[in-house]
Amino acid sequence: MTLLVDKLKRIDWAVIVILALFMAASTLIIYSAVQGTRFEGAHMRHLVFFGAGFFVTVGMSLINYRFLLKLSPYLYVLAVASLVAVYFYGAVINNARGWFIIPYIDQSVQPAEFAKLLIILAVAYYLARRDGEPLRLFRDIIPVMLIVFIPFFWVVIQPDLGNAIIYLVILIGMLWIANMRYVHVLLFSGLAAGAVFGALQLLDKYHDTIEAILGKIGAGHWMGRIDAFLYPEQASTNATWQVDNSLRAIGSGSLFGEGFMQGTSVQTGRVPYTYSDSIFVVVGEEFGFAGASALLLLYFLLIFRLILISIQSKDPGGAYIIIGIVTMFVFQIFQNIGMFLGILPLTGITLPFVSYGGSSLMINMLSIGVALSVRVH
């Protein structure tokens, strides 16, 4: 009992308070987004998920993260197996075969979401063996890349480009903090730049052929999103419709917004998925620049507390875990907000702790719990 009390005292309760603020804000925003739609009542389910998430977060923080690191190879195999299984037997939602439907309660589970944390644990376990020494190309960097590229492949072919990109960003963040040599950084930066340049050239020359190939594998919508981002003047109205309406909605919010439940774009349905992927549009339209800034401040405080835990960690494995989690959150925030400001292409990435979605919210709460475990232990 004394040990349990000591652990509870070492939890960073400031993080829990920040999560409580996210719960209050997100519930109100989702309530506004779903009123009068077929998703009415989703805010209450979100509240239930968030409440359960707090128990998951605190419970996970009491488990020694070193135990999770030891289990990480087995958890990684489980993650890959679930991605393979969902590709063959999963349900199709929003053009991607990436969900298992739990019978009787009609709840969907997305393995690609849970794989993010399991990939972070597996990479941290592998990198921690170097104990901060510079990484070797063939004995460290290449194996870690394989750890990430295997689940990346299975998520891309679902097709779920959003989560697949997150895997790559996690890889980059964790390799960088694990003391990657500058010569290797330059090597892979050059390869990445060459790959992007080559892809753009192929896209420009064989646009219609690539579009046809993507259509055959169920990823035809990717081309519309790419065209809307790279060639907005030439793209069809359908391709730019969501971004154009999102920009108008956010711009109409001005400094203080149009008021709670007063967003015309939200209420008329001109912007789709306002309860999930497009929820930042609701914030911008109804609460304006001030409301969006307050939301970003909450994110800053959360990331700041997590980085402090990483800095204070005496164990490289714990620090790597938190950097992976921070990288995941920062990219999701940047990508989700950026795509509705027109500075990034559209992808199916949710806004952490704000968008509706049981799998996404639960993995985020689990991740915070693992980060707090580093602080406690």
Side-chain angles (χ1 to χ4, degrees), residues 228-247:
F229 178 66
L230 294 177
Y231 318 109
E233 298 83 6
Q234 304 173 25
S236 65
T237 304
N238 288 337
T240 61
W241 178 79
Q242 185 174 355
V243 174
D244 290 343
N245 284 341
S246 297
L247 283 170

Side-chain angles (χ1 to χ4, degrees), residues 24-324:
S26 61
T27 303
L28 287 174
I29 297 166
I30 293 172
Y31 174 78
S32 175
V34 300
Q35 288 307 295
T37 72
R38 62 190 180 92
F39 300 103
E40 194 163 333
H43 67 289
M44 292 305 299
R45 291 192 293 275
H46 176 78
L47 194 59
V48 170
F49 280 128
F50 229 124
F54 277 108
F55 287 101
V56 169
T57 297
V58 175
M60 185 59 69
S61 71
L62 301 178
I63 299 173
N64 195 324
Y65 71 94
R66 295 181 182 88
F67 175 68
L68 297 175
L69 284 177
K70 290 178 180 178
L71 283 179
S72 62
Y74 308 102
L75 295 174
Y76 172 79
V77 171
L78 179 63
V80 174
S82 67
L83 292 174
V84 174
V86 80
Y87 176 73
F88 289 104
Y89 306 109
V92 177
I93 300 177
N94 294 334
N95 300 316
R97 188 180 295 278
W99 283 262
F100 288 123
I101 305 298
I102 301 176
Y104 306 113
I105 62 173
D106 193 30
Q107 180 61 47
S108 60
V109 175
Q110 189 177 10
E113 289 284 348
F114 289 93
K116 289 187 288 192
L117 179 57
L118 302 185
I119 289 171
I120 290 171
L121 290 173
V123 172
Y125 172 78
Y126 198 91
L127 293 177
R129 301 190 305 175
R130 289 294 291 163
D131 198 27
E133 291 296 317
L135 299 180
R136 300 158 297 186
L137 180 60
F138 293 104
R139 299 180 65 181
D140 300 315
I141 297 175
I142 300 300
V144 166
M145 292 176 70
L146 287 175
I147 289 173
V148 174
F149 278 121
I150 292 172
F152 170 83
F153 167 78
W154 285 103
V155 172
V156 164
I157 64 174
Q158 287 183 2
D160 181 359
L161 186 60
N163 277 315
I165 292 174
I166 293 174
Y167 296 172
L168 297 184
V169 174
I170 288 171
L171 170 67
I172 294 168
M174 296 185 73
L175 282 176
W176 176 260
I177 205 68
N179 200 4
M180 193 174 177
R181 298 177 190 271
Y182 286 111
V183 64
H184 296 151
V185 173
L186 291 174
L187 171 64
F188 286 107
S189 297
L191 290 173
V196 171
F197 178 78
L200 290 175
Q201 294 302 309
L202 288 173
L203 182 65
D204 187 56
K205 191 172 183 179
Y206 302 105
H207 181 280
D208 294 340
T209 303
I210 295 173
E211 186 174 19
I213 293 172
L214 289 176
K216 289 180 180 179
I217 64 172
H221 59 286
W222 289 2
M223 188 56 71
R225 293 175 176 181
I226 293 170
D227 288 345
F229 178 66
L230 294 177
Y231 318 109
E233 298 83 6
Q234 304 173 25
S236 65
T237 304
N238 288 337
T240 61
W241 178 79
Q242 185 174 355
V243 174
D244 290 343
N245 284 341
S246 297
L247 283 170
R248 292 190 190 98
I250 294 171
S252 69
S254 191
L255 184 58
F256 295 110
E258 298 184 1
F260 180 57
M261 295 189 67
Q262 300 302 311
T264 54
S265 294
V266 174
Q267 303 305 325
T268 58
R270 289 205 299 268
V271 178
Y273 306 116
T274 49
Y275 61 95
S276 58
D277 295 0
S278 308
I279 200 161
F280 183 75
V281 179
V282 184
V283 177
E285 185 175 34
E286 297 190 355
F287 302 99
F289 179 80
S293 298
L295 182 64
L296 289 175
L297 177 61
L298 275 183
Y299 281 125
F300 169 78
L301 293 174
L302 178 63
I303 299 302
F304 174 72
R305 297 302 303 184
L306 294 180
I307 291 176
L308 278 183
I309 297 172
S310 175
I311 292 172
Q312 294 164 0
S313 175
K314 298 181 177 65
D315 174 28
Y320 295 155
I321 288 173
I322 295 179
I323 292 303

